[in-house]
Amino acid sequence: MKYVYLLESINFPEENYIGLTDDLRKRIAAHNSGQAAHTRKFKPWRLVTYLAFSDPERAVAFERYMKSSSGRAFAKKRLR
């Protein structure tokens, strides 16, 4: 399974991160321990939502959509 996930910074609630992983628990732990360069500055993070995909290509396409301006608007309106 591939997971597309949305994180929100606990200390900076306006900061969000969208990612893709095979192991969701391990990846969130990496974000919160500072191992991920893009999210290190705004840790700790909380998981807002995630979607699981059995088709890796669809997971990549959905992550790309979620990182677009319309995907971010969708997440802000529907996934919180």
Side-chain angles (χ1 to χ4, degrees), residues 5-55:
Y5 59 94
L6 172 63
L7 300 178
E8 178 181 76
S9 173
I10 292 172
N11 295 333
F12 304 92
E14 67 283 353
E15 295 295 328
N16 298 293
Y17 181 80
I18 296 165
L20 175 70
T21 187
D22 293 325
D23 187 341
L24 189 58
R25 289 182 182 167
K26 185 176 177 182
R27 189 65 181 139
I28 293 171
H31 284 295
N32 282 326
S33 68
Q35 295 174 14
H38 287 90
T39 59
R40 185 177 301 141
K41 189 167 37 171
F42 300 109
K43 66 180 186 172
W45 295 89
R46 74 174 188 90
L47 181 64
V48 175
T49 193
Y50 69 92
L51 284 91
F53 292 84
S54 58
D55 181 354

Side-chain angles (χ1 to χ4, degrees), residues 6 51 62 65-66 68-80:
L6 172 63
L51 284 91
F62 188 71
Y65 164 71
M66 291 300 293
S68 72
S69 59
S70 60
R72 288 193 178 274
F74 169 78
K76 187 175 182 179
K77 187 173 183 179
R78 303 281 184 214
L79 299 180
R80 298 181 173 252

